[in-house]
Amino acid sequence: MRKIIESTFVTLNGSISNPQDWSGPYWDEDHFGYSGKLMENTDALLLGRVTYEGFAEAWSQRDGEMADTFNNMPKYVASHTLTDTTWNAKLLEGDVVEAVRKLKAEDGGDLLKFGTGSFSKTLLEHKLVDEYHFWVFPVLADGDQLFGESELGINHLELLGTTTFKSGIVVHKLAPKA
């Protein structure tokens, strides 16, 4: 069975909006090394529409080893509005929860999910994410809050580890408690 790993950038005050505006100064060897390790066991990306559209635009313009891996990797997109995709992506058809359960049941490597929005809330609600990697950046910014206002109830997470970068980023690796 495949694992779903969610990797999300978040500011100290919980903002997840526009990480392209505030995360750049912190990208260093530690950042790229951790990102590379996340990609090692990943066979495909799992994305919501907003993240998919932003990533497709940004990453399809890049080249190099990491970009080539990212661009060539299959992507699965959850969307109620898209009718077709590019960038080696397929829409999740039918009920998104069942589609994700089928993907998890397949043989293969991890499914890496970026971004946090309504799709993440759905995955959390149905307990489909196996690990969360919350990258807490030492910056304050306006924007939507991590998981925002939702009716998810209480969801306890178990700390699996933390990684601190010289830049001040702290990645909290967590898993849902049984």
Side-chain angles (χ1 to χ4, degrees), residues 52-85:
Y52 161 74
E53 289 176 335
F55 275 25
E57 182 179 340
W59 281 95
S60 64
Q61 306 303 312
R62 299 177 186 173
D63 55 15
E65 185 178 343
M66 179 71 158
D68 291 346
T69 299
F70 215 65
N71 287 326
N72 292 323
M73 185 172 287
K75 291 123 188 122
Y76 299 96
V77 181
S79 174
H80 297 291
T81 57
L82 291 177
T83 56
D84 57 329
T85 59

Side-chain angles (χ1 to χ4, degrees), residues 102 125 143:
K102 286 179 186 176
E125 179 183 351

Side-chain angles (χ1 to χ4, degrees), residues 116-131:
T116 303
S118 61
F119 184 38
S120 291
K121 292 174 188 174
T122 298
L123 295 176
L124 177 63
E125 179 183 351
H126 293 278
K127 304 194 183 315
L128 292 170
V129 176
D130 300 286
E131 286 180 14

Side-chain angles (χ1 to χ4, degrees), residues 30-103:
D30 290 336
H31 177 103
F32 289 111
Y34 195 97
S35 294
K37 284 190 171 222
L38 277 177
M39 295 294 289
E40 284 177 2
N41 296 319
T42 298
D43 279 351
L45 301 180
L46 187 60
L47 306 167
R49 180 193 52 82
V50 173
T51 303
Y52 161 74
E53 289 176 335
F55 275 25
E57 182 179 340
W59 281 95
S60 64
Q61 306 303 312
R62 299 177 186 173
D63 55 15
E65 185 178 343
M66 179 71 158
D68 291 346
T69 299
F70 215 65
N71 287 326
N72 292 323
M73 185 172 287
K75 291 123 188 122
Y76 299 96
V77 181
S79 174
H80 297 291
T81 57
L82 291 177
T83 56
D84 57 329
T85 59
T86 60
W87 195 48
N88 200 26
K90 295 179 184 176
L91 289 171
L92 294 171
E93 296 182 10
D95 179 71
V96 71
V97 172
E98 287 307 312
V100 170
R101 282 190 177 126
K102 286 179 186 176
L103 280 175

